Amino acid sequence: MARPEVLNSIKEAEREADEIIADAESDAEERLAEARERADEIRAEAEEEAESEAQERLETAREEIEERREEILESGRADRDELEREARDRVESAVDYAVERFEAAVHDQAEEAVDAQA
């Protein structure tokens, strides 16, 4: 091979190598851009899932709190009803006691009045 042909062959090989390198760099940049885009999509999906799960947990917690609240209120109502019943029972007993004492006092006064007249 003559020298000019060798030089042309080398230049052609270098040009082809430069094209291969340029194509590889372009391909690498495209892949990197795609990977970044996919990473952004995955991150966004993960954030959505996390937000959704957090909302579900919050709703579950609210439901549990509401159930517990109702249990506490019902227990409080039952306690109140029991206290009211006991208070009514005590009022009746207190009235009965007061009436008995009043009747006894009236009876004692009546006896004293009878004894005083005799």
Side-chain angles (χ1 to χ4, degrees):
M1 226 195 253
R3 200 173 215 197
E5 288 176 6
V6 170
L7 286 176
N8 283 339
S9 199
I10 290 173
K11 285 181 182 179
E12 180 62 25
E14 287 177 346
R15 188 187 59 73
E16 287 177 10
D18 287 343
E19 284 180 16
I20 290 171
I21 290 171
D23 288 344
E25 287 174 349
S26 175
D27 187 45
E29 288 175 9
E30 285 178 27
R31 287 185 182 187
L32 184 58
E34 288 173 3
R36 285 185 178 140
E37 185 176 318
R38 182 63 186 137
D40 289 342
E41 290 172 3
I42 291 170
R43 187 178 306 112
E45 289 171 7
E47 287 173 356
E48 281 182 32
E49 288 177 17
E51 179 67 25
S52 177
E53 187 173 326
Q55 288 298 326
E56 287 176 19
R57 286 182 177 179
L58 182 60
E59 185 60 31
T60 299
R62 284 183 178 147
E63 289 172 2
E64 290 173 0
I65 289 168
E66 183 60 26
E67 287 174 13
R68 182 67 180 129
R69 178 183 168 273
E70 286 302 318
E71 290 172 4
I72 291 169
L73 288 173
E74 185 57 36
S75 175
R77 286 184 199 109
D79 290 348
R80 180 200 63 212
D81 292 345
E82 178 66 18
L83 289 171
E84 286 177 353
R85 186 187 60 71
E86 289 174 5
R88 278 192 302 273
D89 289 347
R90 278 188 250 137
V91 167
E92 291 174 14
S93 294
V95 168
D96 289 344
Y97 178 75
V99 168
E100 287 174 13
R101 296 288 296 164
F102 178 73
E103 288 174 349
V106 168
H107 181 39
D108 288 345
Q109 283 182 352
E111 282 185 1
E112 286 177 9
V114 169
D115 287 342
Q117 288 179 357

